[in-house]
Amino acid sequence: MTTDVPYGWQKTGETYTCERCGKPTSNRKLFLSGKDGYSWCDECIAESNRERKWENEQLYKEEITCPWCGYEDSDSWEFEGEYDDEYECPECGKIFVLEVHTEVTYTSKRRIDDMPEGWCGDD
């Protein structure tokens, strides 16, 4: 018998060991593949949820966004720090952790100079 609990956790009726604190628990969360998984007790799930709410993570924004006051820094492109740098909000002055995500893509094509004379579009 399986009972659903928040964030994809399931109470399975079997006993596992909480991977955060070591207490026995019937909670199990499967990996996306549906195989294997991990276990946390109710208290550790609640603590993790509380921590996530406190962090107020501003995911993948185009501007640096303060998790304290919501200020969006229009000069974000000037930031030259490193991953997990501390950043001070220019609006409220509070410190927060900043992660920079950079995406690099490439486009390639053949040179026109290399196209054979009389080529009609067949490879």
Side-chain angles (χ1 to χ4, degrees):
M1 180 177 172
T2 302
T3 305
D4 290 330
V5 292
Y7 299 104
W9 290 98
Q10 298 177 333
K11 291 195 179 285
T12 63
E14 297 180 38
T15 301
Y16 301 97
T17 300
C18 176
E19 294 181 20
R20 289 186 83 183
C21 72
K23 292 180 185 175
T25 182
S26 63
N27 296 332
R28 191 79 174 153
K29 191 170 194 176
L30 298 177
F31 294 123
L32 291 178
S33 65
K35 297 180 180 177
D36 205 1
Y38 57 99
S39 298
W40 287 359
C41 68
D42 291 337
E43 293 83 12
C44 288
I45 292 171
E47 178 67 11
S48 176
N49 292 342
R50 188 179 72 82
E51 289 169 356
R52 277 205 320 266
K53 283 181 183 177
W54 167 252
E55 288 177 330
N56 191 21
E57 189 170 22
Q58 305 296 307
L59 288 170
Y60 305 106
K61 301 278 189 162
E62 292 187 14
E63 306 286 348
I64 296 171
T65 304
C66 177
W68 293 96
C69 70
Y71 173 76
E72 294 183 1
D73 190 344
S74 61
D75 292 328
S76 298
W77 59 273
E78 294 180 359
F79 179 74
E80 295 180 359
E82 297 293 324
Y83 176 80
D84 271 352
D85 269 0
E86 288 188 350
Y87 187 83
E88 182 176 336
C89 176
E91 184 73 14
C92 70
K94 292 193 175 184
I95 304 292
F96 57 91
V97 175
L98 178 64
E99 296 177 13
V100 178
H101 301 269
T102 305
E103 181 178 332
V104 177
T105 61
Y106 299 91
T107 301
S108 62
K109 60 185 178 182
R110 296 174 184 165
R111 300 179 322 156
I112 294 296
D113 293 345
D114 295 330
M115 183 171 55
E117 187 72 34
W119 188 75
C120 296
D122 299 342
D123 280 321

